Amino acid sequence: MTTTDEAGSRLDAGAFLRTIGKSNRGRMKIRTHAESHVVELDDGSQWQIFPGDLATTLSWKPETDLRLEQSRDPMSSHVLVNAADQSRVRVIAAHETWPDGEVKNALKGG
């Protein structure tokens, strides 16, 4: 994932997250959510939603305030937290892939 900072410089995912931490900018809006499993935030970052969490996103609207946080879940690098109801969905950068075996186990409840 790449995005740009306030000066227009390109940032990779790690640099982007460090910038968020420094600015304490927490809340973001949805720019697009055309594909059910990918959401683009107003900062230009794109995140792939964990298949088992898609139902949680059905009520999201462009004005929904989301906060990106590091995940403690070994399967996802981050979570998007809905500021209104504190619901959480597991996400990875849009260009990454979910580990097949772990996804199947999680969806089976294993």
Side-chain angles (χ1 to χ4, degrees):
M1 178 197 79
T2 59
T3 191
T4 57
D5 64 12
E6 292 173 1
S9 301
R10 293 186 69 77
L11 300 173
D12 65 18
F16 169 70
L17 292 170
R18 287 188 295 278
T19 300
I20 288 176
K22 288 178 185 174
S23 68
N24 199 21
R25 195 181 126 192
R27 291 188 179 178
M28 292 175 268
K29 302 278 188 197
I30 298 169
R31 181 182 290 167
T32 62
H33 192 193
E35 294 182 59
S36 62
H37 66 287
V38 176
V39 63
E40 181 178 352
L41 302 177
D42 62 359
D43 64 1
S45 63
Q46 296 180 343
W47 300 93
Q48 189 177 158
I49 299 164
F50 180 71
D53 296 344
L54 290 174
T56 303
T57 69
L58 295 177
S59 63
W60 288 2
K61 299 183 178 7
E63 61 272 9
T64 301
D65 283 323
L66 298 173
R67 187 175 63 248
L68 182 66
E69 297 179 357
Q70 294 250 339
S71 175
R72 293 187 185 120
D73 186 320
M75 196 170 0
S76 66
S77 59
H78 298 84
V79 293
L80 284 173
V81 182
N82 182 332
D85 64 11
Q86 300 304 307
S87 60
R88 306 165 75 83
V89 297
R90 294 165 281 189
V91 296
I92 56 176
H95 69 276
E96 295 179 354
T97 57
W98 295 101
D100 284 337
E102 291 181 39
V103 170
K104 288 176 185 174
N105 285 339
L107 293 175
K108 287 181 186 177

